[in-house]
Amino acid sequence: MSARVARAGWAWRSWGRRAASSLREPPPDAVDVAELLRDSSVAEEGAQEAVARRRPPSQCSVLLFPGQGCQAVGMGSGLLHLPRVRQLYEAAHRVLGYDLLELCLRGPQEDLDRTVHCQPAVFVASLAAVEKLHHLQPAVIDNCVAAAGFSVGEFAALVFAGAMDFSEGPSVSPEEFC
């Protein structure tokens, strides 16, 4: 997502949540998000067509990262044999100030289900799953042409794409994930 579109989305959100009766007219400084998205998609079409010409669709992959609700005690346990996965959890521990891995492995489920815990847990587990995918099928990662995510998965997709640093993900407040 370009910074231009991100700013447009923020501008829309700042007035889009008011009561319906107050939405007669957008504020004079509001940005037309639909127009920006059209402009952005036209500019990106050239890049996407270039990627498509280089590889047939059967050799391209897209990663979709999940959002809150997929958390479960024990998540990530099958990934710990991969060295970089342990590093992800150690980095999350430094950023968050608590042992996210311990919470994911042993729970209790009630604590893991709390938004403040489950969103960082899903974020880190998603990136840990990418590590396993890279270990088992590196071509899938190498041939990835797009990444997307639902809710907190958007942050994992941004980190995967290199648009955001890992240390920014777990530290984002739950309100920003929503």
Side-chain angles (χ1 to χ4, degrees):
M1 178 187 310
S2 72
R4 190 171 156 198
V5 173
R7 282 193 303 273
W10 180 86
W12 178 82
R13 274 185 259 127
S14 67
W15 61 268
R17 291 187 179 168
R18 293 185 187 149
S21 62
S22 67
L23 288 176
R24 290 182 182 82
E25 294 286 326
D29 62 338
V31 177
D32 183 355
V33 176
E35 181 181 328
L36 286 174
L37 289 173
R38 274 194 303 277
D39 292 348
S40 175
S41 65
V42 167
E44 291 174 5
E45 282 176 4
Q48 291 172 351
E49 288 173 4
V51 169
R53 280 194 300 272
R54 281 187 246 144
R55 289 180 273 186
S58 63
Q59 294 178 359
C60 296
S61 57
V62 174
L63 296 184
L64 179 61
F65 294 90
Q68 181 175 345
C70 64
Q71 70 276 359
V73 171
M75 63 191 282
S77 62
L79 306 173
L80 295 174
H81 66 282
L82 301 165
R84 292 190 63 190
V85 169
R86 288 222 181 252
Q87 291 172 359
L88 287 172
Y89 281 102
E90 289 167 5
H93 188 159
R94 286 190 301 273
V95 170
L96 295 168
Y98 65 88
D99 192 348
L100 181 65
L101 179 58
E102 181 68 21
L103 180 61
C104 289
L105 294 178
R106 293 176 186 48
Q109 185 69 45
E110 298 78 31
D111 286 349
L112 186 58
D113 286 341
R114 292 181 53 217
T115 301
V116 69
H117 295 136
C118 74
Q119 290 185 341
V122 170
F123 170 80
V124 175
S126 295
L127 294 172
V130 169
E131 287 299 319
K132 182 175 182 177
L133 182 60
H134 185 260
H135 179 75
L136 296 176
Q137 297 180 340
V140 172
I141 302 298
D142 294 339
N143 295 325
C144 185
V145 296
F150 177 73
S151 185
V152 68
E154 293 176 45
F155 292 96
L158 287 168
V159 169
F160 171 76
M164 187 172 105
D165 187 61
F166 172 83
S167 64
E168 295 173 284
S171 64
V172 175
S173 69
E175 296 79 27
E176 293 179 74
F177 279 125
C178 300

